[in-house]
């Protein structure tokens, strides 16, 4: 039996993290597109990792439970890498809320029930959650603590209260951060830890599509006017994930790390600040 890592979302960021922490462990990679999972699994196997690709839909509790059951065939689940999600230009409002908000909440909840003593998890959120106005203590608490099956019924998440796909995405990412705080208490009962990372613009196939798409100039302007003056790489996100998931990060849980080259700082106090 091996230690098992559950990894959702077969992309560049998840792969960069898995390569840092996955040596000698069984890695179960779940993606809605099984072919995509197989491609990433092949790359990992050819680099010496033990990876099993599985078809998995994060917006389905049943699918999440199937992924967990697959992992448990090989040993105890000691780590979670959640890099699954859809972006504002990829999906309608309902899908964004079902995948990025509800799905992430269910995943953290269900993995928290089975995570090994001393286990660890990281979920990939987004800088977007840091851009929106404050929601207030009451709504933050609702996003953090509402039972998962009731989340999408919250007044603040009703379709008529969501302006567009970007707003839906921002709400989902704000919820991710609050949910990590809430779940860290439950994970902590097993001396396990869970944190989130909120990347800015990271160069991935998805980002390259965005650069060449209708919002391309917006994205290029964002990284040109942030203090770093460039987009980031998946390995730079993995640098932080490695700290969070290794013993060196043992005192870090229930928190979010913004990795955006200073874009959010520029949005509030610099050249990216929106005109009134």
């Amino acid at each position: 039996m091996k230690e098992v890592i559950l990894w959702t979302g077969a992309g560049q960021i998840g792969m960069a993290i898995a390569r840092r922490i996955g040596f000698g462990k069984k890695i179960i990679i779940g993606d809605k597109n099984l072919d995509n999972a197989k491609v990433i699994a092949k790359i990992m196997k050819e680099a010496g990792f033990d990876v099993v690709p599985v078809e998995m839909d994060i917006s389905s509790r049943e699918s999440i439970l199937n992924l967990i059951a697959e992992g448990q065939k090989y040993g105890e689940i000691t780590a979670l890498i959640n890099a699954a999600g859809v972006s504002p230009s990829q999906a309608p409002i309902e899908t964004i809320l079902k995948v990025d908000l509800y799905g992430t909440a269910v995943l953290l909840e269900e993995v928290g029930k089975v995570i090994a003593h001393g286990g660890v998890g990281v979920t990939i959120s987004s800088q977007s959650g840091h851009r929106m106005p404050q929601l207030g203590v009451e709504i933050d608490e609702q996003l953090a603590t509402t039972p998962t099956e009731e989340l999408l019924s919250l007044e603040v998440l009703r379709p008529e209260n969501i302006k567009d796909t970007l707003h839906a995405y921002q709400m989902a990412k704000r919820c991710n951060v609050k949910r990590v705080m809430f779940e860290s208490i439950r994970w902590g009962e097993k001396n396990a830890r869970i944190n989130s990372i909120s990347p800015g613009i990271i160069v991935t196939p998805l980002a390259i599509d965005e650069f060449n798409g209708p919002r391309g100039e917006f994205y290029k302007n964002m990284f040109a006017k942030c203090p770093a003056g460039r987009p980031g790489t998946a390995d730079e996100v993995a640098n932080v994930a490695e700290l969070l998931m290794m013993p060196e990060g043992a005192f870090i849980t229930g928190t979010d790390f913004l990795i955006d080259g200073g874009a959010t700082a520029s949005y509030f106090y610099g050249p990216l600040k929106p005109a009134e």
Side-chain angles (χ1 to χ4, degrees):
M1 302 293 274
K2 279 188 171 183
E3 289 186 26
V4 176
I5 297 173
L6 295 183
W7 161 19
T8 60
Q12 295 295 320
I13 292 176
M15 180 161 62
I17 297 170
R19 290 172 81 114
R20 300 296 180 89
I21 67 160
F23 42 87
K25 298 175 183 175
K26 191 80 178 184
I27 304 171
I28 312 296
I29 174 172
D31 195 279
K32 192 168 186 183
N33 183 332
L34 183 58
D35 288 340
N36 192 28
K38 286 177 177 175
V39 167
I40 297 288
K42 182 174 184 286
I43 294 168
M44 291 288 288
K45 285 176 183 175
E46 289 174 352
F49 293 91
D50 183 2
V51 185
V52 177
V54 177
E55 187 174 347
M56 179 258 185
D57 177 1
I58 193 175
S59 70
S60 158
R61 187 183 297 270
E62 182 183 9
S63 190
I64 288 170
L65 291 172
N66 288 342
L67 182 80
I68 289 170
E70 181 66 26
Q72 289 174 322
K73 291 177 185 176
Y74 301 98
E76 203 170 22
I77 294 166
T78 59
L80 168 69
I81 302 165
N82 176 34
V86 291
S87 75
S89 57
Q90 285 182 312
I93 289 170
E94 184 183 2
T95 303
I96 291 169
L97 294 177
K98 194 84 198 288
V99 171
D100 292 0
L101 191 150
Y102 167 81
T104 298
V106 173
L107 184 69
L108 298 182
E109 175 184 33
E110 293 294 351
V111 175
K113 292 175 185 176
V114 300
I115 193 75
H117 186 85
V120 66
V122 67
T123 187
I124 302 300
S125 188
S126 166
Q127 64 177 352
S128 270
H130 292 263
R131 296 276 165 80
M132 61 188 305
Q134 293 300 312
L135 298 172
V137 173
E138 185 180 351
I139 293 174
D140 276 349
E141 185 161 335
Q142 288 173 354
L143 292 175
T145 65
T146 299
T148 43
E149 291 307 316
E150 297 169 25
L151 263 173
L152 295 178
S153 303
L154 287 173
E155 181 71 21
V156 71
L157 298 177
R158 294 185 67 80
E160 62 268 24
N161 294 324
I162 301 290
K163 295 194 286 285
D164 52 27
T165 58
L166 178 59
H167 184 209
Y169 187 72
Q170 288 176 327
M171 289 298 294
K173 296 308 177 180
R174 178 65 62 87
C175 182
N176 292 168
V177 169
K178 296 300 172 186
R179 215 74 206 180
V180 160
M181 293 177 76
F182 176 69
E183 285 295 344
S184 71
I185 312 303
R186 272 125 216 90
W187 285 49
E189 292 166 4
K190 299 180 177 180
N191 195 33
R193 300 182 295 108
I194 177 72
N195 292 290
S196 61
I197 293 175
S198 290
I201 298 173
I202 305 297
V203 179
T204 63
L206 176 90
I208 291 167
D209 284 347
E210 294 280 7
F211 297 156
N212 296 323
R215 290 159 62 87
E217 290 309 311
F218 170 81
Y219 283 105
K220 289 171 186 171
N221 181 59
M222 187 184 293
F223 66 70
K225 290 184 178 175
C226 74
R230 62 171 178 86
T233 66
D235 284 286
E236 288 176 304
V237 177
N239 289 338
V240 176
E242 184 175 22
L243 167 65
L244 295 177
M245 300 185 85
M246 288 296 192
E248 289 81 358
F251 198 54
I252 308 171
T253 192
T255 196
D256 179 69
F257 287 78
L258 179 62
I259 308 176
D260 70 347
T264 300
S266 184
Y267 176 84
F268 283 110
Y269 308 117
L272 286 174
K273 189 169 186 175
E276 289 298 332

